[in-house]
Each structure stands twice: as C-alpha cells, then as structure tokens.
C-alpha cells in the first residue's frame, strides 16, 4: 500500500469515528433537551456499563476448557474486593494480578 | 493555583486505572503497528486522530492487507457504533461545556466514558474543566503507550499476558459502584441480560449493534415504570 493510501484510510477511520461521537450532539444537542433524552441520559449509563462488561468478556468459552474460569474468578474477585473496601484502585489491581497469575500459571 | 493543583491531582488519581490499561494496550498497539511496517509516526498519528483502541488494532490489519476505503469505513462504523450510545447519554452533561466541548466529545472513548458518565467531580471544581482534564490525561496515556510500543516494544521481556484485564476490571468496578448507588437496578440488569442474549444469538462479532438497539427499545418502553413520579411531574411543568 502506498503511503498516500494509508493516510487516506487513517483519515477515513478517524472521520467515521468522530462522526459517530459527534452525531448525537449535533442532532439532539442544540435545542432544549427533550425529557426523553434526559431520561435516557439517566438510565443508559447503567445499561451501557453492563454491556461493556459483557463486551470485555465476549471471547470466553463457557463450553470448552478453561470454561471462562480465569475471567469469572478474577471478575468475582474485583466485585468482592470492591464491595469490601470500595477502593477502585485496589479492586482493579487485585483483580488484574489474580487474572495474570491464573492465565500464566494456573490455566496455562 | 493551589486549587488547580488539587484538581489536577484528583484527575490523575481518578485516571490511574485507565493509565495502567492504556499504557499496556497502547504499547501493544505500537508493537503491532511497528511489526506490520507502520512505525512510530504512523502509530502516533493514529493515536492522535483516530483514538479508539480496538479500532486501531484492526486498522493495522486493514492497512497491511490493503483494504479499500469502503471496507475501512464500514469496519469503523460497525466497531465504533457503540459511541453513538455514549453521546446520547452525555448530551445533557456536556451541554454548556463551551470551547472545551469539541474535545470532550472527540475524546469520549469507552474508558473516558466510564469515568465521566457518573457525573461526580471534586467539590469546588468546574465540572467541564475537570472532565476535560480527565479526557486529555487519558489520551496522553494512550499516546505515550503507542509511541513506547513502536519504539522499544520488542525489548520488553516481562510476561505481560493478562495485564489487559485491567480494563475489564475498571468497567466492573464502575458497574458495582453504580449498582450500589442506583435507586433502580432494572437498567443495569437489562444491559447485562440483553447483551448476553445477543452474544449467544448473534456471536461475538455481531452482537453489539443488536444489543444496543434492544437496550434502547427496552429502556424507552420502560420509561413510565423507571421514571420517578415526582421528577416526571417536574418535567411536565417544564415542558
């Protein structure tokens, strides 16, 4: 691929990404926010974070070894640590270290 | 000045989880890009202008396989469609952000969204300034990671397998935190159940767009049930 074409492809991807990010603001942002959008703004973050958690775990294989066990154990550790101490950094570090140990040494 | 420094410190503390994840994932991207013949300047340009993690990983394979403009545009559309969702839920919060608004919108990645969507900002700070700082710091971490990866990535010998779980862990803590503070758990449950169902039905390449559509439809239909009565009345008064 020539450098010119590579630049064009990067520009296209950047343009489409920006379009997706700006579109809601351009279409819905100028007037007084309709009640329906205010409502979505309040409930959507809960649903989106649920969706993102599932999105991150999309490649686990529940029916085949290791049955998603490293992911599920580490995710459970994050939840328990967070319920216990409610310290975001501790929950993330604890879960990540456990996950690294699990994939590098336990479920090789 | 002291106040500014305090707010900056708070922004750094809050973005540490993203820093960890972005340095690691950004380095991974830099290494991949460099190995496929797109060295440090290319990696830098993509991290500055595209600034979307999973899309940039795909971009490397699009570039090295000689993809067309159309397939690049369609791939980006499919992979990044979830950003429409973030925009819809941030319209109100970013409404009066003034000159910072374009960058706040441009920099709304998954990770930045997870930090700003709850709308808590340190007392005494201008919220838009604080969100701007958080957004900018996150992109700086991402850029540093990509450049490092492209420059010295192949020299890393430490086994980093699994360190990308930091991002998943970040989303889980935000989810738990929201769960503990929510007055109603239906939106969170709907998000998980609908996405899992779509993942099973459509498979891991195609499930995001059906999930988003069903979540939007479901939450729209449930508005009467989920909207607290007194706020509903207020809104009617405003309309």
């Amino acid at each position: 691929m020539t450098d010119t074409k590579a630049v064009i492809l990067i520009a296209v991807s950047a343009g489409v990404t920006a379009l997706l990010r700006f579109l809601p603001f351009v279409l819905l942002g100028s007037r007084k926010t309709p009640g329906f959008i205010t409502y979505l703004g309040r409930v959507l973050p809960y649903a989106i974070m649920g969706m993102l958690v599932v999105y991150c775990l999309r490649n686990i294989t529940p029916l085949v070894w290791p049955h998603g066990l490293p992911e599920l154990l580490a995710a459970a550790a994050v939840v328990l640590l967070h319920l216990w101490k409610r310290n975001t950094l501790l929950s993330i570090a604890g879960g990540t270290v456990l996950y690294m140990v699990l994939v590098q040494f336990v479920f090789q | 000045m002291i106040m500014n420094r305090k707010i900056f410190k708070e922004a750094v503390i809050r973005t540490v989880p993203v820093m960890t994840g972005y340095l690691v994932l950004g380095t991974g991207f830099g290494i991949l890009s460099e190995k496929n013949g797109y060295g440090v300047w290319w990696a830098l340009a993509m991290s500055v202008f595209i600034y979307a993690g999973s899309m940039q990983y795909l971009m490397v394979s699009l570039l090295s396989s000689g993809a067309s403009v159309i397939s690049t545009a369609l791939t980006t559309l499919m992979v990044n469609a979830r950003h429409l969702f973030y925009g819809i839920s941030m319209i109100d919060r970013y409404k009066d952000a003034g000159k910072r608004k374009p960058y706040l919108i441009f920099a709304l990645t998954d990770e930045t969204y997870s930090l700003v969507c709850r709308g808590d900002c340190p007392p005494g700070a201008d919220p838009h300034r604080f969100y701007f700082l958080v957004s900018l710091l996150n992109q700086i971490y991402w850029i540093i990671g990509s450049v490092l990866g492209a420059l010295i990535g192949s020299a890393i010998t430490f086994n980093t397998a699994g360190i990308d779980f930091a991002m998943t862990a970040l989303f889980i803590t935000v989810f738990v935190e929201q769960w503990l503070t929510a007055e109603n758990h239906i939106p969170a449950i709907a998000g998980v159940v609908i996405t899992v169902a779509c993942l099973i039905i459509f498979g891991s390449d195609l499930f995001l767009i059906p999930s988003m559509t069903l979540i939007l439809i479901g939450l729209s239909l449930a508005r009467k049930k989920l909207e607290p009565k007194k706020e509903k009345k207020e809104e009617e008064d405003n309309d």
Side-chain angles (χ1 to χ4, degrees), chain A residues 1-10 12-25 28-33 35-59 70-71 74-75 78-79 82-83 86-89 91-93 95-96 99-100 103-104, chain B residues 16-17 42 46 49-52 54-55 59 63 66-69 72-73 76-77 80-81 83-92 95 102 105-106 108-109 113-114 159 161-163 165-166 168 170-178 180-182 187-188 191-192 195 207-208 212 215 219-220 222-223 226-228 231:
Chain A
M1 183 176 300
T2 62
D3 281 0
T4 317
K5 193 178 173 207
V7 169
I8 292 172
L9 291 193
I10 291 171
V12 165
S13 184
V16 173
T17 305
L19 179 79
L20 289 165
R21 286 176 179 156
F22 278 88
L23 203 60
F25 294 90
L28 302 161
S30 52
R31 290 162 290 137
K32 181 181 168 293
T33 317
F36 179 61
I37 297 297
T38 313
Y39 160 72
L40 282 182
R42 204 169 54 233
V43 292
L44 263 184
Y46 299 106
I48 294 176
M49 290 319 299
M51 184 184 89
L52 269 179
V53 170
V54 178
Y55 176 71
C56 286
L57 301 173
R58 69 189 179 284
N59 290 322
E71 287 79 8
V78 175
V79 172
H82 203 68
L83 290 176
R86 245 176 133 166
N87 175 333
T88 303
L89 286 183
S91 313
I92 292 173
T96 307
Y99 184 74
M100 290 175 75
V103 293
Q104 290 185 23
Chain B
V16 165
W42 292 99
M46 286 189 258
F49 296 113
I50 304 180
Y51 187 34
S54 39
M55 188 56 225
M59 198 63 213
L63 287 173
S68 68
V69 167
T72 305
T76 312
L77 204 60
N80 283 342
H83 290 96
L84 284 172
F85 236 45
Y86 306 154
I88 294 172
S89 73
M90 293 303 287
I91 284 174
D92 247 2
K95 193 153 209 161
I105 298 173
F106 166 78
L108 207 50
T109 59
Y113 177 78
S114 75
N159 187 355
I163 201 168
F165 191 80
T168 311
L170 167 67
F171 296 143
I172 296 173
T173 56
V174 175
F175 184 82
V176 172
E177 198 58 46
Q178 287 186 338
L180 295 173
T181 51
V192 172
T195 315
F207 73 109
L208 264 186
M212 287 167 36
I215 287 171
L219 290 178
S220 308
R223 185 179 174 191
L226 294 176
E227 197 124 58
E231 280 185 50

